[in-house]
Amino acid sequence: MTSRLIPVPPFVLTVFGATGDLSRRKLIPALFHRDADGQIPEEALIIGVSRRAMTDAEFRAFAHQALTDHIPAAELKEPELERFLGRLSYVAADADAEPGWSELATRVANAGDMIPVYYLATAPHLFGPICERLGKYGLAEKGRVVIEKPIGKDLSSAVALNEQVGRIFPEERVYRIDHYLGKETVQNLMALRFANALFEPLWNNAHIDHVQITVAEALGVEERAGYYDTAGAMRDMVQNHMLQLLCLVAMEPPASLDADAVRDEKLKVLRALKPIADHNMAQLTVRGQYRAGASAGGAVPGYLEELGSTRSETETFVAVKAELENWRWAGVPFYLRTGKRLASRVSEIVIGFRHVPHSVFGDAVGAIEPNRLVIRLQPDEGVKLWLMIKDPGPGGIRLTHVPLDMSFAKAFKVRNPDAYERLILDVVRGNQTLFMRRDEVEAAWKWVDPILQAWRGAKEPPRPYTAGTWGPSASIALIERDGRTWLEDGA
Ligand code: BG6
C-alpha cells in the first residue's frame, strides 16, 4: 500500500443496476483500481443487483469483461484481479417485486459491522421504489445511499425525488454524485484558490474582468440519444456540472473543508445567480443543435439522424451569460458554454483579469494583453498563467504574452484517477464534501427552471451548428457584444 493513500473501513457495497452502463464503464473499473492499489480492506464485499438472472460466477465473468474493456491489459494483473473478482457476488432483484430482497438482506446482514453502501446506478424513477424496499427489508438503518443525476427534470420533480429518498435515508446518509466534483483538477481549483495566498486578494470584481467556463465534447449523443432527447444540454450539463464549477470558482473561502462549510458557501453562490427568464433570455442565452459535419477527420451525422427522428427541439449546445448578484462578483460576467460535437474535447475555466490601468510603454511595444489564469480540467490537466514579459533581445522593449504552463501529467508522473475512484471511497469514509446537498440541487433547479420555461415559451427551435465547430454563431455574438471573446485550448 502506498503511504499517501488513506485507508477506508470495511464496507459492503451493493450496486443496483450492476449490469448497466455506469457500472460497467465506471464503477467496476474504479473499484478495481482502488483495490489494486491496496486501499480496499480485505473483508470488503461488492454485491451486484439487477433484474437479470445470473449466478455469482456469471457476474464475475461480466465484471472481468468490463475490466478487460476499460483497463489496459498491463494493469490487469494477478493476484489483484483474482482478489477483486473474489469480492463480487450477485443477487437478482427487481425494484418493484419481492423476489431477491430477502436474499440481499441476508447477505448484507452476514457482512456484520461492515458499512453498508447502496449505489443506485439505475434510472432515477427507480430511486424511490428501491429506497422503499431497502427500508422495508431493514437495510436502510445504517446504510448510505448514492444517487446520480438526473435528480429530477425540474424543481418540482427534484423535490419529489429528494422527498422519496429522504423518507428512508436522512440527508447525512444521502450522497448525490456530481462526478465533476471528483475530478482531479476540479479539486485543484480549491487547492489553487485556498492553498495559495497569491490569488485570493485578486479574486473579485476589482481585478477580474470576466470568467469563462467551457465544457466541450467532441462526441455526439450516440447510443444515449433516447435519454438525451428528454434532457438536453441545460439539464444534462449546466444544471449540475457547470453550476458546480461556477460555485467552486465563485464561492467565499469556507472556514474548513468540512462538508457543510463548503456546501453552505456553494449554496450562497447558487442563490446569488441573477434570474434569467422571458425578459432577458434572448440576450443572455443561446441554444443550439448540431447538424451533420466532421469530427476527428471523419464525417459524422447530425443530432436528428443519431436520434432517428426528423424533429426535436432538444438543445445539444448551450451558452449562458450568468451573473452573480453579490459584492464580490457584481458586474463580472460568467460565460458558460457546453455542447456535444464541438471542435474538440476540452474543459477549462478561464479567469480573465482586468487590463492594466495605464501603459507606461507607449504604442510601439505591442498591445498589453490582460493576465489570464487557465485551469484545464481535461484533457491534459494543468494550469496556465498568462503574463506579459519583454520579448528577449536588444532594440528596446517589445512586449509579448506568454504562459507559465504546468501540465500535471508532465509534472507528476502518476496515473490520474477517475473521479469515481475518489467518490466511492468518500462515501465509505462518510465524507460528503464532494457531494451535493439537497438544497444545492434544488437551488440550481430554481435558476434553471425559468430559463427552460422561457425557451419553451419563445417557441424558437435551437440554432443549428455544424458538427466539429464551436457552436452556433450566436454564441460568439453573445460574448463579442461585450467586447470579449471565447478562449479556446488554453489561449
Ligand atoms: C455526464 C453527461 O454527466 O457527463 C454526459 O450525462 C457527458 O452527457 C458527461 O458526456 C461528461 O463527462 P466527462 O467526465 O466525460 O467530461
Side-chain angles (χ1 to χ4, degrees):
M1 191 191 294
T2 316
S3 58
R4 291 170 62 220
L5 298 176
I6 307 169
V8 298
F11 61 88
V12 49
L13 167 66
T14 305
V15 179
F16 291 88
T19 54
D21 197 50
L22 178 66
S23 163
R24 208 166 41 82
R25 282 189 310 115
K26 294 289 185 182
L27 306 183
I28 293 172
L31 286 160
F32 172 78
H33 274 304
R34 291 298 87 232
D35 197 10
D37 278 353
Q39 211 177 1
I40 294 193
E42 237 14 82
E43 319 84 296
L45 297 172
I46 300 165
I47 306 174
V49 177
S50 82
R51 281 181 305 191
R52 208 195 287 183
M54 241 191 211
T55 61
D56 289 346
E58 282 164 343
F59 182 58
R60 288 188 189 123
F62 169 87
H64 193 176
Q65 188 59 48
L67 295 174
T68 314
D69 292 343
H70 294 99
I71 296 182
E75 292 173 30
L76 274 184
K77 289 188 297 248
E78 297 293 358
E80 287 86 352
L81 186 57
E82 196 187 332
R83 180 179 65 203
F84 177 73
L85 294 175
R87 299 180 186 281
L88 305 184
S89 66
Y90 183 81
V91 175
D94 188 333
D96 294 320
E98 305 302 330
W101 285 88
S102 303
E103 171 63 21
L104 177 64
T106 306
R107 292 203 195 182
V108 174
N110 287 345
D113 284 344
M114 295 205 265
I115 296 172
V117 176
Y118 304 102
Y119 199 120
L120 311 195
T122 64
H125 71 271
L126 298 175
F127 294 171
I130 293 176
C131 287
E132 257 172 52
R133 282 212 153 61
L134 287 171
K136 179 171 164 188
Y137 284 85
L139 291 165
E141 273 154 37
K142 288 180 296 161
R144 299 170 188 172
V145 69
V146 186
I147 57 178
E148 284 243 9
K149 66 158 247 280
I151 296 178
K153 61 178 178 45
D154 53 20
L155 178 60
S156 66
S157 53
V159 169
L161 202 152
N162 281 330
E163 259 156 32
Q164 279 184 320
V165 174
R167 274 199 286 277
I168 308 294
F169 290 93
E171 181 63 25
E172 63 276 12
R173 288 196 272 117
V174 179
Y175 290 75
R176 293 181 194 79
I177 284 208
D178 182 311
H179 78 279
Y180 266 59
L181 293 181
K183 285 186 189 273
E184 194 64 30
T185 334
V186 176
Q187 307 246 288
N188 236 311
L189 190 54
M190 288 210 261
L192 206 64
R193 281 194 64 191
F194 305 130
N196 294 287
L198 190 63
F199 297 115
E200 209 44 34
L202 305 179
W203 214 257
N204 55 51
N205 53 8
H207 302 283
I208 293 181
D209 172 72
H210 75 285
V211 175
Q212 299 184 15
I213 304 180
T214 297
V215 177
E217 298 184 86
L219 292 177
V221 292
E222 291 157 347
E223 72 280 1
R224 290 173 75 233
Y227 147 74
Y228 193 88
D229 202 53
T230 64
M234 183 58 114
R235 292 186 175 97
D236 188 50
M237 296 295 291
V238 179
Q239 190 272 344
N240 34 78
H241 308 323
M242 303 284 285
L243 288 183
Q244 286 292 322
L245 295 180
L246 185 148
C247 284
L248 293 179
V249 172
M251 70 183 182
E252 295 298 315
S256 71
L257 283 192
D258 177 67
D260 280 333
V262 172
R263 298 187 301 177
D264 287 346
E265 295 308 336
K266 289 197 292 168
L267 182 64
K268 287 183 208 159
V269 173
L270 292 166
R271 290 186 172 157
L273 279 163
K274 178 173 149 180
I276 300 180
D278 294 335
H279 65 288
N280 54 1
M281 170 277 285
Q283 292 78 51
L284 301 179
T285 73
V286 173
R287 57 201 294 259
Q289 189 186 81
Y290 60 87
R291 300 286 180 261
S295 178
V300 291
Y303 176 70
L304 293 177
E305 288 103 301
E306 279 186 336
L307 184 64
S309 167
T310 50
R311 205 183 133 73
S312 165
E313 306 250 306
T314 300
E315 76 286 350
T316 61
F317 175 96
V318 178
V320 183
K321 177 181 172 183
E323 286 166 273
L324 292 172
E325 298 183 307
N326 62 22
W327 272 45
R328 188 188 276 259
W329 294 114
V332 179
F334 284 70
Y335 299 98
L336 315 180
R337 83 183 153 158
T338 183
K340 303 265 181 207
R341 280 280 187 242
L342 296 183
S344 61
R345 173 174 182 255
V346 52
S347 297
E348 57 190 19
I349 299 170
V350 180
I351 312 293
F353 289 91
R354 289 193 181 282
H355 282 276
V356 293
H358 165 70
S359 170
V360 299
F361 299 99
D363 290 338
V365 297
I368 300 183
E369 295 279 337
N371 300 125
R372 280 199 289 274
L373 176 67
V374 180
I375 300 147
R376 173 93 158 203
L377 308 182
Q378 60 191 28
D380 189 19
E381 292 81 353
V383 176
K384 273 186 197 174
L385 179 61
W386 288 83
L387 302 170
M388 294 303 297
I389 59 153
K390 179 189 163 298
D391 222 357
I397 290 187
R398 289 179 311 277
L399 297 175
T400 184
H401 203 208
V402 292
L404 285 181
D405 189 356
M406 186 170 83
S407 150
F408 295 153
K410 284 185 202 138
F412 308 97
K413 300 208 175 335
V414 290
R415 185 182 68 86
N416 190 359
D418 188 75
Y420 284 91
E421 295 181 40
R422 167 176 293 116
L423 294 174
I424 297 172
L425 293 200
D426 272 359
V427 179
V428 178
R429 289 189 198 101
N431 181 355
Q432 285 192 317
T433 303
L434 298 178
F435 297 83
M436 293 179 296
R437 208 167 53 191
R438 174 177 178 164
D439 48 8
E440 278 182 82
V441 174
E442 294 177 4
W445 279 120
K446 256 183 214 151
W447 183 71
V448 164
D449 263 7
I451 305 178
L452 292 170
Q453 269 161 29
W455 283 347
R456 271 197 304 275
K459 294 198 168 57
E460 273 177 32
R463 294 164 193 269
Y465 62 96
T466 305
T469 65
W470 283 106
S473 54
S475 99
I476 297 170
L478 174 86
I479 191 165
E480 296 203 340
R481 271 204 295 277
D482 296 345
R484 303 183 177 101
T485 180
W486 291 112
L487 298 160
E488 271 121 31
D489 290 334

